[in-house]
Amino acid sequence: MGRIRPQSSIKAIEEEPEECETTSSNKTAIACMINSEVSAVLAVMRRNVRWGGRYVSGDDQLEHSLIQSLKILRKQVFSWQDSGQTICPALYLQPFLDVIRSDETGAPITGVSLSSVFKILTLDILDLDAVNIEDAMHSIVDAVTSCRFEVTDPASEEVVLMKILQVLLACMKSKASVVLSNQHVCTIVNTCFRVVHQAGTKSEVLQRIARHTMHELVRCIFAHLPEIDNTQHSIVRRHSSTKIEVAGIDNEYSFSSKSENGSGPSEYDSLPPSGGFTSSSTGLLSHVTEEGMVIGDNGKDSVPYDLHLMTEPYGVPCMVEIFHFLCSLLNVVEHVGMGPRANTMTFDEDVPLFALGLINSAIELGGPAIRSHPRLLSLVQDELFRNLMQFGLSMSPLILSMVCSIVLNLYQHLHTELKLQLEAFFSCVILRLAQSRYGASYQQQEVAMEALVDFCRQKSFMVEMYANLDCDITCSNVFEELANLLSKSAFPVNSPLSAMHILALDGLIAVIQGMAERIGNGSYSSEYTPINLEEYTPFWMVKCENYSDPDHWVPFVRRRKYIKRRLMIGADHFNRDPKKGLEFLQGTHLLPDKLDPQSVACFFRFTAGLDKNLVGDFLGNHDEFCVQVLHEFAGTFDFQDMNLDTALRLFLETFRLPGESQKIARVLEAFSERYYEQSPQILANKDAALLLSYSIIMLNTDQHNVQVKKKMTEEDFIRNNRHINGGNDLPREFLSELYHSICNNEIRTTPEQGAGFAEMNPSRWIDLMHKSKKTSPYIVCDSKAYLDHDMFAIMSGPTIAAISVVFDHAEHEDVYQTCIDGFLAVAKISACHHLEDVLDDLVVSLCKFTTLLNPSLVEEPVLAFGDDAKARKATVTVFTIANKCGDFIRTGWRNILDCILRLHKLGLLPARVASDAADDSEASSDPGHGKPLHNSLSAAHMQSLGTPRRSSGLMGRFSQLLSIDTEEPRSQPTEQQLAAHQRTLQTIQKCQIDTIFTESKFLLADSLLQLARALIWAAGRPQKGSSSPEDEDTAVFCLELLIAITLNNRDRIALLWQGVYEHIAHIVHSTIMPCALIEKAVFGLLRICQRLLPYKENLADELLRSLQLVTKLDARVTDAYCEQITQEVSRLVKANASRIRSQMGWRTISQLLSITARHLEASEAGFDVLSFIMSDGSHLSPANFVLCIDTARNFAESRVGPADRPALAVDLMAASASCLACWSKDAREAMAEAEALKLSQDIGEMWLRLVQGLRKVCLDQREVRNHALSSLQMCLTGVDEMYLPYGLWLQCFDIVIFTMLDDLIELTSQKDYRNMEETLILALKLLSKVFLQLLHELSQLTTFCKLWLGVLNRMEKYMKVKVRGKKSEKLQELVPELLKNTLVVMKSKGVLVQRSALGGDSLWELTWLHVNNIVPSLQAEVFPDNESGLIESDQTDVGGSAYAEAGPS
């Protein structure tokens, strides 16, 4: 037993500290309130003559029972507070309810009683703790819904009606409303609706209040739906579990049995049941008592709720009844005739709008809870949606708008249960109405488009449409159609931009931005994997293991979409040649290699776009295989519980019925078999079905063929079908229904060839409901980009085109910004899904809007650009995309570079763009970063044609505007011009153009390569001869950028190098005069080598080989830049000498240095580099030794530069011999024998090249030859540590010593050089010295004799040589002395001895033969004893001393 909870207005009483006092105070307050209400009712009753007279007329007359009960209540109400017991609310409510029920009371009395009840309800006195609260609430509802009163004037009647509405609404909003039964809730709604219905003839205020109350009731009831458990008989949750028993409920609660509130004089009672409401909707509870009133068409829902369930506390049953009633209000329109007083509510708009508004409220509040209750869900899926489809095509924009709102709400809450319904709505309503070609008015188009845009703003809507419909072979491509619709609708074709275009654009961009937002959520595969069907599997049987797991459903829907696309291609082939079409599908594994009837039947059944004539011909063919296909085809239909004409309509929609009677017979036979198998109903056998089908086709032709003049009557039709049902007649009603169905609605035997969007008709709806039971589960897509790649590939082209056209036509800032947002979203998606072609298309489109690509016709393009907001926005967007999405731009780089070049020509680029971008990697803290300082190259080599030379860079342009030209006076710029310049400057800063190049190191390889190619392409191909200054400036700028990105990408130089090298090579080969371009090319190449050699040793050869281009420069170009080139080479070598390891690299360096040897200005720097390499041998290596020797020889022979340089060059050569000795020593110590031997051979070769080089300098006409001879002697004699092979010495004598001696004699005879005699003396001494030093080793060789004779031969020649026409005295003295020394040493070494007395010693004989020619007396001097016979002596001591004597004098 709970106590009564007081209303909050009696605050003072509640605040008493003690509970007993509080309770007492509460009771007192309630007693006072009830007492005042009784007084109010009695006061009004006294004003009435009937009640007032009876009250005062004599004590013998009893008072009326109504007054008496009120007085008793007044008496008791204060005594209850003292009794201590809790009061039952029914006791103090009853007197007021009696007044409300009484038909004797007038409207004012009834009104004030209703007010009293309303007051009691709203003060929260009636809560769930009250005693017998159920009885109290039930009695209130019963009394108010059966309210009777006399009407005195219309105004007071309306007041009572309003108060009835007020009290009923208060009942539902009360905390105690949960105790009401299902039936009571239905009665409340019925009563309210009756007031709404009858208020049509009353004032506008009552109409509005009545409708508002109805809305509030529906909202109040359905707000409880989410709280209800998922059981069929669930009730609204409540605190008390007391079971309520309500007796005496009968038909008075149903709308149909009591359509007036009383009898007698009440105008309200006597209102006719006007309108169609009672005729069409006989009440919420009518089916409790009347048979045949069902909620749905399907079996489980046709069972009505039993009476017991309706008396339980309210829950789902009453909601089902109310929802069904609301849906039935929409059906009314189909049946009601529009008479003059047919209904006070106008049916064209009011009734549907009112009903749709109530339904919308119910769905908004019921929300996802509806799916937990099958009967409610079934109403939504079938009856509601069927009506929405019908009203969706209404001419009223208001109705269409409300329908779209409901569908949007249904999508939000119940999309998983409404897959095919949503498809039908978009196909048959939105896609039809949003296009003018289907006859929709502009208002309809606008509402449909607004609805579509609302759907597009739901992030997952388009993805779910694609996954569930476009990727399902049995559904249409809703996503594709909607995307195309939005794109086309955004196109302003030959008309200015309208609100509709902007609306469609908003929808399109909403879809694109949804994709862009999903990118950050991951789960998209950047590598798009194509699908291939390896083998045949029945395409209509493909199933997914788990529709809620993306790992399963994503590949599944992609595979299904692939199949669907292939089927469409197959359909296209089939329409041209059925045989080839089937062969194509076999080739793609969609049909088996050996065709079977089922697979072909399913191809016909599930593939859109087939030529229905061809399908009909195939199915009607007498060929056995075709007959089998026909029966399999019929087997794909579900005719369960379908009328025969409905089934036939569905069947004949899928192909064109052939014209030949035999084919028609075969087709109808297959249909009849299938129909009888599934829906026998009243048919006796399949023959009956066949005959009746034939009859229907004939009736259809008869009724709808204009050539048939005499139409078949109903009686004719019934007569024609006698005795066909197994010998019996079919029911007349059945045939009559068929007859009228065919007459009213033609069966189209020539269906349209997939044109447009079909209208929804009853047979299609029935088919849809059948399909919805079998369709695959609805796939719910979360916020990850699973299918965005596929979707974006479909819509990207039309989207870019649409946004571009709108942007082109737009004139308002907000439209520009919308388009820009769209462009950026497209770029982001393209980049993330690696759709390079799409990004390129976008860049091409955007570049057109920058106005930079158009050869500007305006006088001052900079000002024009500053004034054009669209161009500036487009420019910033292009460069934003280039910076953010550059990785995936390919051919688009060309367009971007065109824009950059245009800005460059206008002098608008910051200097940093043209500066070395690689500097950023060296020193990122550049204070001038981003500041548009003057551009060092912008106009360095050119003057703008027809105008004074521009100041370079942005600030230069700006200052030029402010200056006054001395030659051509100009007015001061206006404020507008200054503002335009300022805007231009800000725009270029926002573009961050330099970042494209400075950050190129982060570009993906493919994009970087395309950027480099674009630069080469933009630079153009220089032609031999002169080119315009502007072209040259462009070429220089592009080359500068190319070099910058090359330096910035040193880690990926291999990627770029080939293109860069070829471009520079082309410039070198085609340039014949010094100019800025060749200067930039040559020094850029040197700079690349300087920068990259430290990091890319594996590319050192490649880089250095490229420097050979410098050697191929035209002579005039070389002369102009030789000194600077040498300085750059010097820097290169000094910084990287240790990194140049290959012979190839050094060969290039040596070639360049050799060139400088002949150039006056460059030779000093060149020799400096050579000295750096060769001094101390610090940078000499086997790889560069020979090359350096050759280069040093070139300097030694060069006649430019200081006089002492040749001698220094010779010194460098001579000093290098020590390196050979060191290498040889290291090799013997560190290497294996085989390797050491190999290196020893190499060292020998290098030594030979060294002495050969010196030999050549020995022939120089200047006195450096003597220095060279001395150095040569030093190199030939100081070789002890080299361990040169003896064979090499023979070579050395042949090609170095002997050749040099011979050449000197020849030179002496031809030229008259200074100090030639001294040279000959030095040469001869060198010969003697080297021969004697190596005598022991050489004498072991078999060819020693030949060598010795060579020595004697030269001495003989030198004995005879003439210097300046006469023999040299010094040589005459020197030769005998050297020869004698040599013979003595040979004797002492035991080399020259007579070994045989028989004359067979050739060395001995040949020696004296030659010696005697030179100095005949020498034999006697050397061999004074003139011994004969064999001499074998080993006089090492003598030999040693003799050898010592033979040293150079």
Side-chain angles (χ1 to χ4, degrees), residues 233-280:
H233 309 311
S234 293
I235 59 173
V236 174
R237 290 196 197 116
R238 45 179 301 204
H239 305 297
S240 166
S241 59
T242 313
K243 180 159 180 166
I244 317 297
E245 289 185 14
V246 180
I249 293 180
D250 58 8
N251 286 353
E252 74 176 2
Y253 294 104
S254 97
F255 210 6
S256 56
S257 61
K258 180 157 186 157
S259 59
E260 69 278 338
N261 278 355
S263 57
S266 165
E267 187 188 334
Y268 177 45
D269 300 338
S270 60
L271 275 172
S274 58
F277 292 92
T278 47
S279 62
S280 65

Side-chain angles (χ1 to χ4, degrees), residues 1143-1276:
Q1143 197 168 11
M1144 171 62 70
W1146 282 112
R1147 177 171 288 116
T1148 307
I1149 299 293
S1150 69
Q1151 281 179 322
L1152 292 169
L1153 295 178
S1154 297
I1155 292 170
T1156 66
R1158 301 189 294 273
H1159 198 281
L1160 183 61
E1161 290 86 359
S1163 61
E1164 185 175 348
F1167 188 70
D1168 182 49
V1169 180
L1170 185 66
S1171 303
F1172 171 78
I1173 299 168
M1174 296 184 72
S1175 295
D1176 306 324
S1178 52
H1179 296 295
L1180 278 176
S1181 68
N1184 67 4
F1185 186 86
V1186 173
L1187 296 164
C1188 289
I1189 294 301
D1190 289 345
T1191 308
R1193 181 177 60 78
N1194 285 330
F1195 274 100
E1197 293 172 347
S1198 171
R1199 296 182 180 279
V1200 298
D1204 63 339
R1205 188 183 292 151
L1208 292 173
V1210 170
D1211 288 344
L1212 287 175
M1213 293 170 75
S1216 66
S1218 60
C1219 285
L1220 297 176
C1222 289
W1223 296 340
S1224 181
K1225 181 182 176 185
D1226 294 344
R1228 287 196 307 277
E1229 291 173 0
M1231 294 186 183
E1233 189 176 344
E1235 290 176 359
L1237 184 63
K1238 171 75 173 67
L1239 186 63
S1240 179
Q1241 289 174 347
D1242 292 344
I1243 289 170
E1245 291 292 327
M1246 287 185 264
W1247 173 79
L1248 193 58
R1249 290 293 294 270
L1250 168 62
V1251 294
Q1252 276 183 290
L1254 285 167
R1255 174 190 70 77
K1256 290 178 182 174
V1257 184
C1258 291
L1259 305 177
D1260 196 281
Q1261 68 182 44
R1262 294 165 301 167
E1263 292 189 20
V1264 70
R1265 62 180 180 274
N1266 295 343
H1267 188 64
L1269 267 168
S1270 303
S1271 299
L1272 178 60
Q1273 181 175 321
M1274 189 171 67
C1275 291
L1276 288 170

Side-chain angles (χ1 to χ4, degrees), residues 182 186 232-234 305 309-310 315-322:
N182 284 304
C186 292
Q232 184 70 10
H233 309 311
S234 293
Y305 289 115
L309 187 57
M310 294 306 292
V316 176
C318 73
M319 296 183 197
V320 171
E321 296 304 326
I322 293 166

Side-chain angles (χ1 to χ4, degrees), residues 589-727:
H589 303 298
L590 287 172
L591 292 179
D593 293 336
K594 187 182 179 189
L595 287 177
D596 65 76
Q598 188 187 23
S599 60
V600 177
C602 289
F603 168 60
F604 289 159
R605 180 77 169 96
F606 300 121
T607 307
L610 283 171
D611 185 326
K612 295 183 177 181
N613 292 320
L614 291 173
V615 176
D617 288 340
F618 191 101
L619 294 175
N621 200 308
H622 62 80
D623 179 77
E624 185 184 349
F625 181 73
C626 294
V627 173
Q628 290 173 335
V629 171
L630 171 61
H631 283 272
E632 288 287 352
F633 181 75
T636 62
F637 287 84
D638 179 10
F639 296 139
Q640 202 90 34
D641 303 321
M642 244 185 235
N643 291 340
L644 182 65
D645 67 313
T646 301
L648 194 55
R649 286 177 202 280
L650 280 177
F651 188 66
L652 295 178
E653 265 184 4
T654 52
F655 61 93
R656 181 179 181 179
L657 191 64
E660 300 169 37
S661 57
Q662 291 174 324
K663 290 186 176 182
I664 293 174
R666 278 191 286 274
V667 170
L668 290 181
E669 187 179 336
F671 164 75
S672 305
E673 274 184 31
R674 178 64 175 168
Y675 182 76
Y676 179 73
E677 179 188 321
Q678 288 195 300
S679 294
Q681 295 172 343
I682 56 173
L683 296 172
N685 51 40
K686 65 179 183 183
D687 291 339
L690 175 61
L691 289 168
L692 193 53
S693 302
Y694 246 121
S695 188
I696 289 171
I697 294 294
M698 289 170 64
L699 172 66
N700 189 64
T701 308
D702 175 90
Q703 292 295 316
H704 300 288
N705 190 327
V706 290
Q707 294 176 346
V708 178
K709 302 301 178 193
K710 189 183 178 193
K711 304 292 184 187
M712 191 186 298
T713 63
E714 185 178 341
E715 287 303 320
D716 295 338
F717 179 68
I718 293 170
R719 187 167 56 249
N720 291 346
N721 289 296
R722 281 184 182 161
H723 312 306
I724 65 168
N725 196 22

Side-chain angles (χ1 to χ4, degrees), residues 952-1025:
S952 55
L954 234 180
M955 294 307 288
R957 293 283 299 148
F958 202 59
S959 59
Q960 183 188 6
L961 182 80
L962 302 172
S963 68
I964 298 175
D965 198 305
T966 51
E967 297 172 14
E968 193 178 324
R970 296 170 64 177
S971 60
Q972 282 287 345
T974 63
E975 283 188 23
Q976 287 86 349
Q977 288 176 320
L978 288 172
H981 266 275
Q982 189 63 31
R983 287 192 294 271
T984 301
L985 186 145
Q986 289 167 349
T987 300
I988 303 305
Q989 279 185 318
K990 280 184 198 167
C991 289
Q992 295 184 309
I993 296 170
D994 56 321
T995 314
I996 295 173
F997 304 100
T998 58
E999 300 298 312
S1000 62
K1001 52 181 168 286
F1002 301 115
L1003 282 179
L1004 288 181
D1006 286 348
S1007 179
L1008 179 65
L1009 191 58
Q1010 291 293 342
L1011 173 58
R1013 286 176 181 167
L1015 281 165
I1016 292 166
W1017 170 82
R1021 284 292 189 187
Q1023 302 300 319
K1024 284 208 172 186

